[in-house]
């Protein structure tokens, strides 16, 4: 277990180089199965979720290796189409091999997904998409068996927006006969980046970033070409450091931040008193005047305020004047970090999917990370608190944040090396 010891009460000041996007690169790793040629992901973040996806590629017969900050993959020899539980249950994104294996081999055995405990996280939308594209799908206790001899293009309207289900449907549709029109798609940037990556591999896709995506299948040629692709900056990691700066009234320069994807969090940052300037991919954020809570914040699908930053705003809200009501609309069990924040003196109330936060005298405490983004929120609150905190299970945080303690030390945090 990884434990952070943090001495709080210090402003975060300095420059953060924003890592490559976890949620953009994980689907790209699953997509590498769609070609027998080499794929290179430049600027790939060195985080455990990437290593876990790489392990799955190797378990299928592919080869994966690093060359400095680029992840190289060659899936010429995909001998298996089974993703076993020991690997699949480490993260949610393993589910995306369902679509790419069906497109590559015509079958897939998937032993169930893992990932943050932030809700039930069913897979019904993924299964429905596979079935509508011609696969026979059997699911039992999370294990999915699927077969598709001749996947055919179809029209599929998602009953609700799902990032992963949209991505899985696109990955499978690439290997189908004829055109597939996906309606009510998720518009998250990570869906757009996956489509651009697939187009760089020779796929024909239109409409990414809108609610309607059309994939023109490979007319029997199931395989794409290899490519070299630069992983975009991580909008959630950038938003995390922005809100940590707000919680500590710091002054941060975020280089490589995908500013065009951060509209909702930048608007919230200004409302609480943050001031920023932007120069191409660099954001300079001055939090000295951060003071007022925003009375009402709702998490929504993109381009709304992202659920992944809900707990990071919560940590900052406890340092602000006034009351903040936060409504978590995406995941039904994503408020559990509040109980840990109460141990640090957080004045918080939970009522269903609502959470109210008031200005609190935050003090050091011993707390336990409950999930990736909730753990980052505990780090943020500990940085803002007076005194010493111990945060356990921070391996959950290191699933998604590259060189996290080192990055924080570089901008002034007191996190003694273990
Ligand atoms: C992706 O998860 C991200 N993960 C999440 O980030 C992010 O919070 C989420 O999208 C935002 O929607 C990755 O990209 C690896 P969904 P995903 O399918 O695809 C329900 C992080 O911290 N649903 O868009 O799993 C689901 O329960 C992670 O980086 C179904 O009902 O999310 C949820 O309520 C956490 N049936 C809603 O849809 C399904 O078949 C949105 O989930 C699938 C989803």
């Amino acid at each position: 277990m990884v434990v952070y010891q943090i001495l709080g009460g210090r402003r975060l000041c300095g420059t953060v180089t924003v890592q490559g996007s976890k949620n953009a690169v994980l689907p790209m790793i699953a997509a590498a199965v769609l070609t027998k040629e080499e794929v290179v992901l430049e600027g790939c973040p060195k985080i455990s979720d990437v290593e876990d996806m790489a392990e799955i590629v190797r378990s299928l017969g592919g080869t994966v290796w690093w060359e400095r900050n680029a992840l190289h993959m060659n899936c010429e020899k995909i001998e298996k189409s089974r993703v076993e539980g020991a690997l699949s249950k480490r993260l949610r994104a393993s589910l995306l091999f369902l679509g790419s294996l069906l497109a590559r081999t015509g079958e897939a055995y998937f032993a169930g997904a893992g990932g943050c405990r932030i809700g039930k996280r069913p897979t019904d939308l993924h299964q429905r998409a596979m079935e509508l594209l011609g696969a026979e799908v059997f699911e039992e206790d999370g294990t999915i068996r699927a077969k598709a001899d001749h996947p055919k293009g179809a029209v599929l309207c998602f009953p609700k927006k799902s990032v992963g289900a949209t991505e899985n449907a696109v990955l499978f549709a690439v290997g189908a006969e004829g055109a597939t029109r996906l309606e009510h798609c998720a518009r998250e940037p990570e869906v757009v980046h996956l489509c651009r990556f697939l187009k760089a591999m020779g796929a024909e896709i239109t409409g990414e970033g809108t609610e309607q995506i059309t994939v023109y299948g490979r007319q029997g040629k199931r395989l794409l070409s290899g490519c070299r692709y630069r992983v975009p900056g991580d909008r959630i990691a950038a938003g995390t450091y922005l809100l940590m700066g707000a919680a500590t009234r710091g002054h941060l320069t975020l280089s490589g931040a995908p500013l065009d994807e951060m509209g909702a969090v930048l608007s919230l940052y200004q409302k609480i008193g943050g001031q920023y300037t932007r120069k191409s991919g660099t954001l300079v954020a001055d939090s000295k005047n951060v003071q007022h809570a925003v009375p009402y914040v709702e998490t929504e699908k993109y381009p709304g305020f992202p659920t992944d930053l809900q707990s990071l705003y919560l940590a900052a809200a406890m340092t602000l004047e006034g009351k903040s009501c936060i409504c978590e609309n995406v995941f039904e069990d994503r408020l559990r970090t509040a109980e840990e924040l109460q141990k640090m003196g957080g004045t918080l109330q939970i009522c269903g999917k609502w959470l109210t936060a008031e200005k609190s005298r935050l003090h050091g405490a011993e707390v336990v990370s409950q999930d990736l983004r909730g753990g980052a929120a505990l780090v943020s609150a500990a940085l803002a608190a007076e005194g010493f905190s111990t945060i356990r299970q921070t391996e959950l945080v290191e699933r998604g944040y590259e060189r996290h303690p080192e990055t924080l030390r570089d901008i002034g945090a007191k996190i003694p090396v273990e």
Side-chain angles (χ1 to χ4, degrees):
M1 182 201 300
V2 175
V3 178
Y4 288 176
Q5 314 270 1
I6 294 178
L7 178 59
R10 298 165 65 88
R11 291 196 160 99
L12 295 182
C13 297
T15 298
V16 173
T17 300
V18 176
Q19 70 183 61
S21 168
K22 166 179 90 80
N23 290 347
V25 80
L26 298 181
M28 293 174 189
I29 295 173
V33 162
L34 293 171
T35 177
K36 290 190 168 187
E37 298 171 4
E38 186 173 331
V39 166
V40 183
L41 295 173
E42 293 178 338
C44 184
K46 292 188 174 168
I47 52 177
S48 55
D49 270 15
V50 165
E51 291 300 345
D52 289 341
M53 291 291 275
E55 267 311 295
I56 293 174
V57 172
R58 293 188 188 105
S59 74
L60 297 170
T63 51
V64 186
W65 69 99
W66 287 95
E67 285 180 21
R68 289 183 299 286
N69 281 342
L71 188 72
H72 292 243
M73 289 173 283
N74 183 309
C75 294
E76 183 184 3
K77 294 193 179 54
I78 289 296
E79 286 133 7
K80 284 200 285 185
S81 54
R82 292 176 64 89
V83 184
E84 304 297 349
L87 295 174
S88 69
K89 292 184 190 299
R90 291 183 187 175
L91 74 170
R92 172 78 177 184
S94 56
L95 190 51
L96 298 170
F97 283 102
L98 194 57
S100 60
L101 279 172
L102 274 175
R104 167 79 184 254
T105 68
E107 59 180 2
Y109 169 89
F110 178 76
C116 290
R117 291 183 303 130
I118 51 181
K120 284 193 291 293
R121 306 191 83 177
T123 58
D124 57 310
L125 300 175
H126 296 249
Q127 293 169 47
R128 183 99 189 88
M130 302 301 134
E131 285 165 347
L132 277 173
L133 288 167
E136 280 181 284
V137 183
F138 306 96
E139 187 270 342
E140 194 177 4
D141 301 334
T143 297
I144 297 174
R145 288 177 180 74
K147 220 170 143 44
D149 298 330
H150 302 290
K152 285 225 178 316
V155 177
L156 159 59
C157 181
F158 288 104
K160 74 188 284 190
K161 288 186 177 181
S162 158
V163 172
T166 301
E167 291 168 340
N168 237 338
V170 169
L171 287 166
F172 184 26
V174 163
E177 197 81 20
T180 294
R181 196 170 78 232
L182 304 172
E183 296 180 347
H184 204 210
C185 295
R187 294 176 51 203
E188 269 72 0
E190 293 75 31
V191 173
V192 175
H193 293 303
L194 173 63
C195 292
R196 285 182 186 157
F197 174 69
L198 289 168
K199 288 157 88 165
M201 294 169 77
E204 287 181 64
I205 302 170
T206 58
E208 63 271 19
T210 73
E211 293 195 3
Q212 188 169 89
I213 295 176
T214 304
V215 181
Y216 302 87
R218 304 288 297 154
Q219 311 301 335
K221 291 193 307 313
R222 278 180 166 171
L223 293 182
L224 299 177
S225 323
C227 78
R228 175 179 286 271
Y229 196 85
R230 171 149 292 276
V231 177
D234 191 317
R235 64 186 174 103
I236 303 299
T240 296
Y241 288 108
L242 179 71
L243 290 170
M244 286 181 168
T248 60
R249 308 294 188 272
H251 188 288
L252 292 175
T253 298
L254 302 179
S255 73
L259 300 172
D260 295 343
E261 299 172 2
M262 297 174 64
V265 67
L266 287 170
S267 156
L268 180 67
Y269 178 69
Q270 277 185 315
K271 286 179 186 161
I272 63 175
Q275 293 155 309
Y276 70 86
T277 55
R278 43 187 296 177
K279 280 194 299 290
S280 66
T282 297
L283 179 73
V284 179
D286 185 349
S287 299
K288 68 174 178 300
N289 294 325
V290 164
Q291 188 177 4
H292 302 293
V294 170
Y296 177 75
V297 175
E298 273 204 82
T299 66
E300 294 168 297
K301 300 301 286 171
Y302 191 85
F305 185 73
T307 173
D308 292 349
L309 291 176
Q310 173 254 101
S311 54
L312 275 301
Y313 172 65
L314 173 60
M318 296 186 303
T319 71
L320 302 176
E321 299 299 337
K323 184 187 276 194
S324 261
C325 294
I326 303 167
C327 183
E328 171 53 56
N329 286 317
V330 180
F331 288 105
E332 70 277 12
D333 191 15
R334 200 168 202 174
L335 298 177
R336 281 182 307 125
T337 297
E339 287 147 34
E340 296 302 309
L341 290 169
Q342 285 170 329
K343 293 175 188 170
M344 301 174 92
T347 309
L348 304 168
Q349 248 113 37
I350 299 181
C351 180
K353 65 180 186 174
W354 286 82
L355 192 150
T356 54
E358 294 178 62
K359 187 173 172 93
S360 315
R361 277 186 61 75
L362 293 174
H363 54 75
E366 186 155 328
V367 290
V368 182
S369 300
Q370 300 298 310
D371 54 69
L372 162 55
R373 309 300 177 182
L378 294 177
V379 171
S380 185
L383 291 165
E386 286 304 322
F388 209 74
S389 294
T390 300
I391 306 178
R392 301 190 180 287
Q393 280 188 172
T394 41
E395 61 275 13
L396 293 178
V397 181
E398 296 185 356
R399 285 186 48 202
Y401 294 96
E402 189 178 44
R403 297 183 64 252
H404 192 48
E406 296 87 346
T407 302
L408 291 171
R409 287 189 197 105
D410 290 348
I411 52 179
K414 271 268 174 257
I415 307 180
V417 178
E418 282 225 329

